[in-house]
């Protein structure tokens, strides 16, 4: 599913869709950064309070993937790095 999400983000990047939240984040790197930080904070709070953990974790993944793609950091490169660390 993460690869599907990355592909969707890349599609929006290549072919912007009017009114797309993803495109808004891709265009505004500061907003994208702020959303990553905000969502991480919300996840930490949800874990501490034992509420909405899955929802907030999904938000972190989404916003982080958009942020990475907007800064030309490829998901495949991150996967490769994680594979190297596996050993």
């Amino acid at each position: 599913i993460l690869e599907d999400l990355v592909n969707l983000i890349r599609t929006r990047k290549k072919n912007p869709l009017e009114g797309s939240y993803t495109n808004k984040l891709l265009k505004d790197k500061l907003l994208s950064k702020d959303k990553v930080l905000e969502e991480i904070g919300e996840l930490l709070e949800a874990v501490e309070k034992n509420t909405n953990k899955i929802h907030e974790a999904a938000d972190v993944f989404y916003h982080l993937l958009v942020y990475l793609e907007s800064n030309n950091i490829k998901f495949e490169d991150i996967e490769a790095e994680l594979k190297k660390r596996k050993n």
Side-chain angles (χ1 to χ4, degrees):
I1 191 73
L2 289 178
E3 286 143 356
D4 292 341
L5 186 52
V6 168
N7 288 331
L8 174 67
I9 293 165
R10 288 179 181 162
T11 298
R12 292 285 187 269
K13 188 176 181 181
K14 290 178 188 173
N15 303 302
L17 182 64
E18 188 175 334
S20 165
Y21 179 63
T22 300
N23 282 124
K24 183 176 180 177
L25 292 171
L26 287 167
K27 282 184 184 180
D28 188 340
K29 289 184 183 183
L30 181 58
L31 174 62
S32 185
K33 175 187 168 186
D34 288 345
K35 288 302 294 181
V36 169
L37 293 171
E38 176 186 325
E39 296 300 339
I40 289 171
E42 289 177 6
L43 173 60
L44 295 173
E45 184 178 329
V47 169
E48 289 172 1
K49 293 182 177 181
N50 197 27
T51 61
N52 296 322
K53 296 178 286 191
I54 303 304
H55 176 87
E56 296 302 341
D59 283 351
V60 168
F61 273 97
Y62 165 74
H63 285 91
L64 182 57
L65 289 172
V66 173
Y67 179 77
L68 293 171
E69 188 63 34
S70 71
N71 286 283
N72 298 312
I73 300 168
K74 301 297 178 204
F75 180 70
E76 295 82 2
D77 294 338
I78 296 167
E79 283 183 313
E81 178 64 26
L82 290 171
K83 284 179 186 175
K84 285 194 289 187
R85 295 179 184 192
K86 190 167 93 172
N87 297 327

